[in-house]
Amino acid sequence: MAPPKNPPARGRALTRSFFDRSVHTVAPDLIGATFLVDGVGGVIVEVEAYHHTEPAAHSYGGRTPRNAVMFGPAGYVYVYRSYGIHWCVNFVCEQAGSASAVLIRAIEPRYGLAAMRRRRGLAADVALCSGPGKLCEALAITDKLNGAALDRAPIRLLAREQEPDIVCGVRIGITKAAELPWRYGLKGSRFLSKPFRD
DNA sequence: AGAGAGATGATCT
DNA sequence: GATCATCTCTCTA
């Protein structure tokens, strides 16, 4: 028997103007949105905000070849290599030059589950996209996607259709400015990279 | 459940 | 030469 087909992703596509706002507004607004690359992906359940005025941001020290996309206009993807092994994906926010971005940290897998399981070498759906490096592997995101527009193929980004319950906490996995409460998550989600502490 | 270590490479000092 | 917005494995409990 054939595996069940995924239902089509629904929702209004987010335009670039969605991202042309404060990173602290965009970050929580992304919780519940659907993020797909070549039709594979799911619902964003965890993000973190980064801004160049704060030392954990890659843009903190000014523009370099690596972070150049962060200094461009909002609505584009910034991809970087993490620990020499993983890729991590960000959405650039605010006006060009503000060098702020939202790190996508976890997704609830919904579309293209077979592809994600194959790429991750895993059967447990709960661990497919529960971390920034994991979700890039599951969605096949590499530096080839660096600078890609969020409103064009192969990316699809669909607005949430219901207002989610959002939790907030300190950012994790960083050593600088680790006390800033700029991590946002979908309350009660099983697909987070780590639970939120209250 | 939590701690520790190794993998692995671009970027920065 | 050290750092790093990570992941997976192994060890101890």
Side-chain angles (χ1 to χ4, degrees):
Chain A
M1 171 176 139
K5 208 143 173 87
N6 300 319
R10 291 162 28 82
R12 172 180 64 82
L14 292 177
T15 62
R16 284 181 217 184
S17 64
F18 175 90
F19 295 95
D20 197 8
R21 302 178 293 151
S22 163
V23 70
H24 304 299
T25 308
V26 175
D29 277 0
L30 279 169
I31 300 298
T34 295
F35 177 42
L36 305 169
V37 178
D38 281 321
V40 176
V43 176
I44 296 173
V45 296
E46 182 185 337
V47 301
E48 283 175 355
Y50 287 86
H51 193 272
H52 84 272
T53 52
E54 145 272 307
H58 286 176
S59 50
Y60 180 66
R63 182 179 177 135
T64 68
R66 177 176 73 155
N67 64 24
V69 175
M70 283 188 79
F71 285 81
Y76 291 85
V77 164
Y78 164 51
V79 179
Y80 71 94
R81 183 80 109 157
S82 172
Y83 291 89
I85 302 174
H86 311 287
W87 299 101
C88 293
V89 63
N90 295 253
F91 298 167
V92 176
C93 296
E94 306 190 11
Q95 75 280 12
S98 86
S100 67
V102 176
L103 171 69
I104 310 303
R105 287 198 54 91
I107 289 174
E108 175 177 336
R110 289 232 183 133
Y111 308 100
L113 286 168
M116 290 193 268
R117 292 185 190 115
R118 183 175 65 247
R119 292 164 177 167
R120 295 272 297 122
L122 279 179
D125 293 353
V126 73
L128 285 181
C129 300
S130 58
K134 296 179 188 179
L135 74 89
C136 281
E137 184 172 40
L139 273 60
I141 294 170
T142 70
D143 61 340
K144 285 204 292 261
L145 212 61
N146 189 42
L150 285 164
D151 57 357
R152 302 195 53 172
I155 294 176
R156 277 216 295 161
L157 196 55
L158 307 175
R160 63 194 182 203
E161 295 182 307
Q162 295 186 337
E163 203 63 26
D165 282 340
I166 294 174
V167 286
C168 176
V170 295
R171 297 181 297 185
I172 57 180
I174 58 174
T175 56
K176 299 171 209 155
E179 75 288 352
L180 296 176
W182 292 355
R183 175 177 178 237
Y184 302 93
L186 178 63
K187 186 175 182 179
S189 172
R190 305 160 40 230
F191 299 94
L192 302 172
S193 68
K194 260 182 70 175
F196 281 77
R197 296 253 165 217
D198 42 11

